[in-house]
Amino acid sequence: MPITVDIDVMLAKRKMSVGELADRVGITPANLAVLKNGRAKAVRFTTLAALCEVLECQPGDLLRWEAEEGAEEGAESVAGGGERGPAPQ
């Protein structure tokens, strides 16, 4: 997945355990582990906001985008680099 979760980095910087963060955010340690290990399909903005509040950071400190290998070719056609037919009249 091109989104990488860096919660473990912020936990280390704040010298906080996963259990303590889960308690303070109000989610289960199991759900935090799913998010931390990159297995989550989504995260609610309220959860992201709570994580940022407790860790005293910005969302960009927790989430990072990385291009997938081979994704550059597909990105060109999606971005408008592909051929298009004539415009409708």
Side-chain angles (χ1 to χ4, degrees):
M1 177 182 286
I3 301 294
T4 302
V5 181
D6 290 326
I7 289 176
D8 52 346
V9 173
M10 291 306 297
L11 282 171
K13 286 182 180 179
R14 302 296 186 250
K15 298 178 181 168
M16 189 180 298
S17 71
V18 171
E20 180 183 353
L21 179 60
D23 284 343
R24 291 177 63 182
V25 170
I27 61 176
T28 66
N31 283 340
L32 182 57
V34 167
L35 181 60
K36 185 172 91 69
N37 295 325
R39 295 188 317 256
K41 299 288 184 198
V43 61
R44 293 176 188 228
F45 283 149
T46 54
T47 303
L48 183 59
L51 286 166
C52 290
E53 183 177 348
V54 170
L55 293 171
E56 298 177 349
C57 66
Q58 294 294 313
D61 297 326
L62 302 177
L63 303 173
R64 168 170 48 93
W65 179 82
E66 293 181 349
E68 292 185 79
E69 289 185 28
E72 289 183 26
E73 292 176 19
E76 275 184 27
S77 62
V78 171
E83 291 289 322
R84 294 184 186 207
Q89 294 182 3

